[in-house]
PDB file of all heavy atoms in Angstrom:
ATOM      1  N   ASP A 291     -79.385  -0.831  12.033  1.00 92.00           N
ATOM      2  CA  ASP A 291     -79.502  -2.049  11.221  1.00 92.00           C
ATOM      3  C   ASP A 291     -79.353  -1.760   9.727  1.00 92.00           C
ATOM      4  O   ASP A 291     -80.000  -2.383   8.884  1.00 92.00           O
ATOM      5  CB  ASP A 291     -80.846  -2.746  11.490  1.00 92.00           C
ATOM      6  CG  ASP A 291     -80.762  -4.251  11.250  1.00 92.00           C
ATOM      7  OD1 ASP A 291     -79.628  -4.771  11.170  1.00 92.00           O
ATOM      8  OD2 ASP A 291     -81.813  -4.899  11.145  1.00 92.00           O
ATOM      9  N   ILE A 292     -78.500  -0.787   9.398  1.00 93.00           N
ATOM     10  CA  ILE A 292     -78.206  -0.474   8.003  1.00 93.00           C
ATOM     11  C   ILE A 292     -77.122  -1.445   7.530  1.00 93.00           C
ATOM     12  O   ILE A 292     -76.189  -1.737   8.278  1.00 93.00           O
ATOM     13  CB  ILE A 292     -77.719   0.986   7.871  1.00 93.00           C
ATOM     14  CG1 ILE A 292     -78.825   1.944   8.321  1.00 93.00           C
ATOM     15  CG2 ILE A 292     -77.286   1.303   6.453  1.00 93.00           C
ATOM     16  CD1 ILE A 292     -78.398   3.390   8.413  1.00 93.00           C
ATOM     17  N   PRO A 293     -77.229  -1.975   6.320  1.00 93.00           N
ATOM     18  CA  PRO A 293     -76.228  -2.944   5.842  1.00 93.00           C
ATOM     19  C   PRO A 293     -74.802  -2.431   5.989  1.00 93.00           C
ATOM     20  O   PRO A 293     -74.514  -1.256   5.718  1.00 93.00           O
ATOM     21  CB  PRO A 293     -76.602  -3.136   4.367  1.00 93.00           C
ATOM     22  CG  PRO A 293     -78.069  -2.840   4.326  1.00 93.00           C
ATOM     23  CD  PRO A 293     -78.302  -1.761   5.340  1.00 93.00           C
ATOM     24  N   LEU A 294     -73.900  -3.305   6.415  1.00 92.00           N
ATOM     25  CA  LEU A 294     -72.518  -2.943   6.709  1.00 92.00           C
ATOM     26  C   LEU A 294     -71.839  -2.295   5.505  1.00 92.00           C
ATOM     27  O   LEU A 294     -71.091  -1.329   5.645  1.00 92.00           O
ATOM     28  CB  LEU A 294     -71.741  -4.186   7.151  1.00 92.00           C
ATOM     29  CG  LEU A 294     -70.255  -3.991   7.468  1.00 92.00           C
ATOM     30  CD1 LEU A 294     -70.093  -2.989   8.602  1.00 92.00           C
ATOM     31  CD2 LEU A 294     -69.614  -5.323   7.826  1.00 92.00           C
ATOM     32  N   LYS A 295     -72.092  -2.810   4.304  1.00 93.00           N
ATOM     33  CA  LYS A 295     -71.461  -2.282   3.100  1.00 93.00           C
ATOM     34  C   LYS A 295     -71.828  -0.812   2.893  1.00 93.00           C
ATOM     35  O   LYS A 295     -70.979   0.023   2.557  1.00 93.00           O
ATOM     36  CB  LYS A 295     -71.886  -3.114   1.888  1.00 93.00           C
ATOM     37  CG  LYS A 295     -71.184  -2.731   0.590  1.00 93.00           C
ATOM     38  CD  LYS A 295     -71.604  -3.653  -0.549  1.00 93.00           C
ATOM     39  CE  LYS A 295     -70.897  -3.280  -1.847  1.00 93.00           C
ATOM     40  NZ  LYS A 295     -71.315  -4.162  -2.972  1.00 93.00           N
ATOM     41  N   GLU A 296     -73.096  -0.504   3.138  1.00 94.00           N
ATOM     42  CA  GLU A 296     -73.559   0.878   2.960  1.00 94.00           C
ATOM     43  C   GLU A 296     -72.959   1.796   4.029  1.00 94.00           C
ATOM     44  O   GLU A 296     -72.525   2.909   3.740  1.00 94.00           O
ATOM     45  CB  GLU A 296     -75.090   0.903   3.048  1.00 94.00           C
ATOM     46  CG  GLU A 296     -75.697   2.249   2.725  1.00 94.00           C
ATOM     47  CD  GLU A 296     -77.215   2.212   2.749  1.00 94.00           C
ATOM     48  OE1 GLU A 296     -77.789   1.108   2.646  1.00 94.00           O
ATOM     49  OE2 GLU A 296     -77.820   3.298   2.894  1.00 94.00           O
ATOM     50  N   VAL A 297     -72.932   1.303   5.274  1.00 93.00           N
ATOM     51  CA  VAL A 297     -72.363   2.095   6.383  1.00 93.00           C
ATOM     52  C   VAL A 297     -70.887   2.364   6.132  1.00 93.00           C
ATOM     53  O   VAL A 297     -70.398   3.482   6.336  1.00 93.00           O
ATOM     54  CB  VAL A 297     -72.549   1.357   7.728  1.00 93.00           C
ATOM     55  CG1 VAL A 297     -71.798   2.092   8.841  1.00 93.00           C
ATOM     56  CG2 VAL A 297     -74.020   1.237   8.069  1.00 93.00           C
ATOM     57  N   ASP A 298     -70.172   1.346   5.683  1.00 93.00           N
ATOM     58  CA  ASP A 298     -68.747   1.484   5.430  1.00 93.00           C
ATOM     59  C   ASP A 298     -68.479   2.514   4.336  1.00 93.00           C
ATOM     60  O   ASP A 298     -67.556   3.323   4.424  1.00 93.00           O
ATOM     61  CB  ASP A 298     -68.162   0.124   5.040  1.00 93.00           C
ATOM     62  CG  ASP A 298     -66.640   0.127   5.068  1.00 93.00           C
ATOM     63  OD1 ASP A 298     -66.081   0.545   6.099  1.00 93.00           O
ATOM     64  OD2 ASP A 298     -66.020  -0.272   4.076  1.00 93.00           O
ATOM     65  N   ALA A 299     -69.311   2.500   3.305  1.00 93.00           N
ATOM     66  CA  ALA A 299     -69.155   3.460   2.207  1.00 93.00           C
ATOM     67  C   ALA A 299     -69.379   4.887   2.702  1.00 93.00           C
ATOM     68  O   ALA A 299     -68.661   5.816   2.319  1.00 93.00           O
ATOM     69  CB  ALA A 299     -70.146   3.131   1.084  1.00 93.00           C
ATOM     70  N   ILE A 300     -70.359   5.057   3.589  1.00 93.00           N
ATOM     71  CA  ILE A 300     -70.629   6.394   4.146  1.00 93.00           C
ATOM     72  C   ILE A 300     -69.457   6.844   5.012  1.00 93.00           C
ATOM     73  O   ILE A 300     -68.989   7.976   4.912  1.00 93.00           O
ATOM     74  CB  ILE A 300     -71.932   6.380   4.973  1.00 93.00           C
ATOM     75  CG1 ILE A 300     -73.137   6.086   4.061  1.00 93.00           C
ATOM     76  CG2 ILE A 300     -72.128   7.709   5.703  1.00 93.00           C
ATOM     77  CD1 ILE A 300     -74.429   5.823   4.804  1.00 93.00           C
ATOM     78  N   ALA A 301     -68.976   5.945   5.876  1.00 92.00           N
ATOM     79  CA  ALA A 301     -67.871   6.290   6.790  1.00 92.00           C
ATOM     80  C   ALA A 301     -66.625   6.696   6.016  1.00 92.00           C
ATOM     81  O   ALA A 301     -65.900   7.613   6.424  1.00 92.00           O
ATOM     82  CB  ALA A 301     -67.578   5.116   7.706  1.00 92.00           C
ATOM     83  N   LYS A 302     -66.376   6.031   4.888  1.00 92.00           N
ATOM     84  CA  LYS A 302     -65.172   6.332   4.111  1.00 92.00           C
ATOM     85  C   LYS A 302     -65.252   7.682   3.399  1.00 92.00           C
ATOM     86  O   LYS A 302     -64.240   8.184   2.911  1.00 92.00           O
ATOM     87  CB  LYS A 302     -64.922   5.216   3.100  1.00 92.00           C
ATOM     88  CG  LYS A 302     -64.386   3.938   3.754  1.00 92.00           C
ATOM     89  CD  LYS A 302     -64.158   2.830   2.749  1.00 92.00           C
ATOM     90  CE  LYS A 302     -63.577   1.587   3.432  1.00 92.00           C
ATOM     91  NZ  LYS A 302     -63.398   0.460   2.493  1.00 92.00           N
ATOM     92  N   MET A 303     -66.449   8.262   3.308  1.00 92.00           N
ATOM     93  CA  MET A 303     -66.587   9.588   2.705  1.00 92.00           C
ATOM     94  C   MET A 303     -66.079  10.696   3.620  1.00 92.00           C
ATOM     95  O   MET A 303     -65.799  11.812   3.174  1.00 92.00           O
ATOM     96  CB  MET A 303     -68.058   9.872   2.379  1.00 92.00           C
ATOM     97  CG  MET A 303     -68.614   9.065   1.233  1.00 92.00           C
ATOM     98  SD  MET A 303     -70.321   9.580   0.939  1.00 92.00           S
ATOM     99  CE  MET A 303     -70.877   8.248  -0.119  1.00 92.00           C
ATOM    100  N   VAL A 304     -65.961  10.399   4.918  1.00 92.00           N
ATOM    101  CA  VAL A 304     -65.499  11.415   5.869  1.00 92.00           C
ATOM    102  C   VAL A 304     -64.061  11.787   5.523  1.00 92.00           C
ATOM    103  O   VAL A 304     -63.195  10.909   5.426  1.00 92.00           O
ATOM    104  CB  VAL A 304     -65.578  10.894   7.318  1.00 92.00           C
ATOM    105  CG1 VAL A 304     -64.969  11.911   8.291  1.00 92.00           C
ATOM    106  CG2 VAL A 304     -67.022  10.596   7.693  1.00 92.00           C
ATOM    107  N   PRO A 305     -63.767  13.067   5.304  1.00 90.00           N
ATOM    108  CA  PRO A 305     -62.400  13.480   4.957  1.00 90.00           C
ATOM    109  C   PRO A 305     -61.389  13.005   5.996  1.00 90.00           C
ATOM    110  O   PRO A 305     -61.684  12.993   7.203  1.00 90.00           O
ATOM    111  CB  PRO A 305     -62.492  15.016   4.938  1.00 90.00           C
ATOM    112  CG  PRO A 305     -63.933  15.292   4.639  1.00 90.00           C
ATOM    113  CD  PRO A 305     -64.704  14.203   5.314  1.00 90.00           C
ATOM    114  N   ASP A 306     -60.226  12.618   5.526  1.00 86.00           N
ATOM    115  CA  ASP A 306     -59.187  12.072   6.407  1.00 86.00           C
ATOM    116  C   ASP A 306     -58.436  13.220   7.085  1.00 86.00           C
ATOM    117  O   ASP A 306     -57.282  13.511   6.789  1.00 86.00           O
ATOM    118  CB  ASP A 306     -58.222  11.197   5.591  1.00 86.00           C
ATOM    119  CG  ASP A 306     -57.290  10.400   6.489  1.00 86.00           C
ATOM    120  OD1 ASP A 306     -57.578  10.308   7.703  1.00 86.00           O
ATOM    121  OD2 ASP A 306     -56.280   9.863   5.993  1.00 86.00           O
ATOM    122  N   VAL A 307     -59.132  13.870   8.005  1.00 86.00           N
ATOM    123  CA  VAL A 307     -58.583  15.014   8.746  1.00 86.00           C
ATOM    124  C   VAL A 307     -58.680  14.691  10.233  1.00 86.00           C
ATOM    125  O   VAL A 307     -59.721  14.228  10.708  1.00 86.00           O
ATOM    126  CB  VAL A 307     -59.363  16.308   8.436  1.00 86.00           C
ATOM    127  CG1 VAL A 307     -58.814  17.471   9.256  1.00 86.00           C
ATOM    128  CG2 VAL A 307     -59.309  16.621   6.950  1.00 86.00           C
ATOM    129  N   LEU A 308     -57.620  14.951  10.969  1.00 81.00           N
ATOM    130  CA  LEU A 308     -57.565  14.622  12.389  1.00 81.00           C
ATOM    131  C   LEU A 308     -58.672  15.350  13.161  1.00 81.00           C
ATOM    132  O   LEU A 308     -58.850  16.546  13.036  1.00 81.00           O
ATOM    133  CB  LEU A 308     -56.194  14.990  12.962  1.00 81.00           C
ATOM    134  CG  LEU A 308     -55.929  14.587  14.410  1.00 81.00           C
ATOM    135  CD1 LEU A 308     -55.899  13.073  14.554  1.00 81.00           C
ATOM    136  CD2 LEU A 308     -54.617  15.191  14.903  1.00 81.00           C
ATOM    137  N   ASN A 309     -59.424  14.587  13.970  1.00 83.00           N
ATOM    138  CA  ASN A 309     -60.459  15.127  14.866  1.00 83.00           C
ATOM    139  C   ASN A 309     -61.537  15.930  14.147  1.00 83.00           C
ATOM    140  O   ASN A 309     -62.127  16.847  14.728  1.00 83.00           O
ATOM    141  CB  ASN A 309     -59.825  15.999  15.957  1.00 83.00           C
ATOM    142  CG  ASN A 309     -58.961  15.191  16.905  1.00 83.00           C
ATOM    143  OD1 ASN A 309     -59.223  14.015  17.148  1.00 83.00           O
ATOM    144  ND2 ASN A 309     -57.915  15.813  17.441  1.00 83.00           N
ATOM    145  N   ILE A 310     -61.807  15.592  12.902  1.00 88.00           N
ATOM    146  CA  ILE A 310     -62.846  16.311  12.173  1.00 88.00           C
ATOM    147  C   ILE A 310     -64.214  16.003  12.774  1.00 88.00           C
ATOM    148  O   ILE A 310     -64.496  14.873  13.183  1.00 88.00           O
ATOM    149  CB  ILE A 310     -62.823  15.953  10.667  1.00 88.00           C
ATOM    150  CG1 ILE A 310     -63.739  16.899   9.903  1.00 88.00           C
ATOM    151  CG2 ILE A 310     -63.221  14.493  10.436  1.00 88.00           C
ATOM    152  CD1 ILE A 310     -63.616  16.796   8.398  1.00 88.00           C
ATOM    153  N   LYS A 311     -65.058  17.022  12.871  1.00 87.00           N
ATOM    154  CA  LYS A 311     -66.404  16.850  13.397  1.00 87.00           C
ATOM    155  C   LYS A 311     -67.373  16.608  12.251  1.00 87.00           C
ATOM    156  O   LYS A 311     -67.113  16.978  11.112  1.00 87.00           O
ATOM    157  CB  LYS A 311     -66.819  18.076  14.209  1.00 87.00           C
ATOM    158  CG  LYS A 311     -65.977  18.261  15.472  1.00 87.00           C
ATOM    159  CD  LYS A 311     -66.463  19.444  16.284  1.00 87.00           C
ATOM    160  CE  LYS A 311     -65.641  19.581  17.556  1.00 87.00           C
ATOM    161  NZ  LYS A 311     -66.095  20.740  18.377  1.00 87.00           N
ATOM    162  N   LEU A 312     -68.506  16.014  12.599  1.00 86.00           N
ATOM    163  CA  LEU A 312     -69.464  15.626  11.561  1.00 86.00           C
ATOM    164  C   LEU A 312     -69.956  16.843  10.771  1.00 86.00           C
ATOM    165  O   LEU A 312     -70.075  16.786   9.546  1.00 86.00           O
ATOM    166  CB  LEU A 312     -70.648  14.885  12.199  1.00 86.00           C
ATOM    167  CG  LEU A 312     -71.645  14.252  11.230  1.00 86.00           C
ATOM    168  CD1 LEU A 312     -70.945  13.303  10.270  1.00 86.00           C
ATOM    169  CD2 LEU A 312     -72.732  13.514  11.998  1.00 86.00           C
ATOM    170  N   ASP A 313     -70.232  17.957  11.469  1.00 89.00           N
ATOM    171  CA  ASP A 313     -70.703  19.161  10.764  1.00 89.00           C
ATOM    172  C   ASP A 313     -69.692  19.624   9.729  1.00 89.00           C
ATOM    173  O   ASP A 313     -70.053  20.019   8.613  1.00 89.00           O
ATOM    174  CB  ASP A 313     -70.975  20.277  11.772  1.00 89.00           C
ATOM    175  CG  ASP A 313     -72.227  20.014  12.606  1.00 89.00           C
ATOM    176  OD1 ASP A 313     -73.022  19.146  12.187  1.00 89.00           O
ATOM    177  OD2 ASP A 313     -72.378  20.648  13.655  1.00 89.00           O
ATOM    178  N   ASP A 314     -68.397  19.591  10.113  1.00 91.00           N
ATOM    179  CA  ASP A 314     -67.343  20.011   9.180  1.00 91.00           C
ATOM    180  C   ASP A 314     -67.212  19.015   8.035  1.00 91.00           C
ATOM    181  O   ASP A 314     -66.968  19.408   6.887  1.00 91.00           O
ATOM    182  CB  ASP A 314     -66.016  20.144   9.929  1.00 91.00           C
ATOM    183  CG  ASP A 314     -66.035  21.238  10.973  1.00 91.00           C
ATOM    184  OD1 ASP A 314     -66.760  22.236  10.746  1.00 91.00           O
ATOM    185  OD2 ASP A 314     -65.367  21.089  12.014  1.00 91.00           O
ATOM    186  N   ALA A 315     -67.362  17.727   8.346  1.00 90.00           N
ATOM    187  CA  ALA A 315     -67.285  16.708   7.301  1.00 90.00           C
ATOM    188  C   ALA A 315     -68.385  16.901   6.255  1.00 90.00           C
ATOM    189  O   ALA A 315     -68.163  16.742   5.058  1.00 90.00           O
ATOM    190  CB  ALA A 315     -67.370  15.316   7.924  1.00 90.00           C
ATOM    191  N   LEU A 316     -69.571  17.252   6.719  1.00 90.00           N
ATOM    192  CA  LEU A 316     -70.700  17.472   5.797  1.00 90.00           C
ATOM    193  C   LEU A 316     -70.430  18.654   4.867  1.00 90.00           C
ATOM    194  O   LEU A 316     -70.823  18.653   3.703  1.00 90.00           O
ATOM    195  CB  LEU A 316     -71.977  17.719   6.596  1.00 90.00           C
ATOM    196  CG  LEU A 316     -72.536  16.500   7.357  1.00 90.00           C
ATOM    197  CD1 LEU A 316     -73.641  16.929   8.315  1.00 90.00           C
ATOM    198  CD2 LEU A 316     -73.071  15.457   6.381  1.00 90.00           C
ATOM    199  N   LYS A 317     -69.752  19.693   5.406  1.00 91.00           N
ATOM    200  CA  LYS A 317     -69.439  20.859   4.588  1.00 91.00           C
ATOM    201  C   LYS A 317     -68.352  20.542   3.560  1.00 91.00           C
ATOM    202  O   LYS A 317     -68.397  21.020   2.424  1.00 91.00           O
ATOM    203  CB  LYS A 317     -68.977  22.014   5.475  1.00 91.00           C
ATOM    204  CG  LYS A 317     -70.080  22.574   6.362  1.00 91.00           C
ATOM    205  CD  LYS A 317     -69.518  23.604   7.340  1.00 91.00           C
ATOM    206  CE  LYS A 317     -70.582  24.080   8.317  1.00 91.00           C
ATOM    207  NZ  LYS A 317     -70.016  24.984   9.341  1.00 91.00           N
ATOM    208  N   GLN A 318     -67.366  19.720   3.967  1.00 91.00           N
ATOM    209  CA  GLN A 318     -66.224  19.468   3.102  1.00 91.00           C
ATOM    210  C   GLN A 318     -66.518  18.410   2.029  1.00 91.00           C
ATOM    211  O   GLN A 318     -65.877  18.403   0.994  1.00 91.00           O
ATOM    212  CB  GLN A 318     -65.018  19.009   3.954  1.00 91.00           C
ATOM    213  CG  GLN A 318     -64.451  20.099   4.836  1.00 91.00           C
ATOM    214  CD  GLN A 318     -63.198  19.649   5.571  1.00 91.00           C
ATOM    215  OE1 GLN A 318     -62.432  18.815   5.072  1.00 91.00           O
ATOM    216  NE2 GLN A 318     -62.980  20.187   6.769  1.00 91.00           N
ATOM    217  N   GLU A 319     -67.460  17.527   2.311  1.00 89.00           N
ATOM    218  CA  GLU A 319     -67.734  16.444   1.365  1.00 89.00           C
ATOM    219  C   GLU A 319     -69.225  16.427   0.997  1.00 89.00           C
ATOM    220  O   GLU A 319     -70.060  15.881   1.733  1.00 89.00           O
ATOM    221  CB  GLU A 319     -67.319  15.092   1.967  1.00 89.00           C
ATOM    222  CG  GLU A 319     -67.598  13.895   1.058  1.00 89.00           C
ATOM    223  CD  GLU A 319     -67.104  14.099  -0.354  1.00 89.00           C
ATOM    224  OE1 GLU A 319     -65.875  14.039  -0.552  1.00 89.00           O
ATOM    225  OE2 GLU A 319     -67.950  14.320  -1.240  1.00 89.00           O
TER     226      GLU A 319
END
């Protein structure tokens, strides 16, 4: 139940890399 705007902003921080995993995303960004 986190506001959509906040969730969307978080999701967009994930690097645009094919099949990237969350652990790798946290390291890269």
Side-chain angles (χ1 to χ4, degrees):
D291 208 15
I292 298 172
L294 179 60
K295 185 177 180 181
E296 186 177 340
V297 173
D298 193 51
I300 295 170
K302 286 179 178 177
M303 289 183 194
V304 175
D306 191 15
V307 178
L308 186 66
N309 294 329
I310 190 170
K311 295 183 178 180
L312 188 56
D313 288 344
D314 295 329
L316 290 169
K317 292 173 185 175
Q318 291 185 31
E319 179 49 74

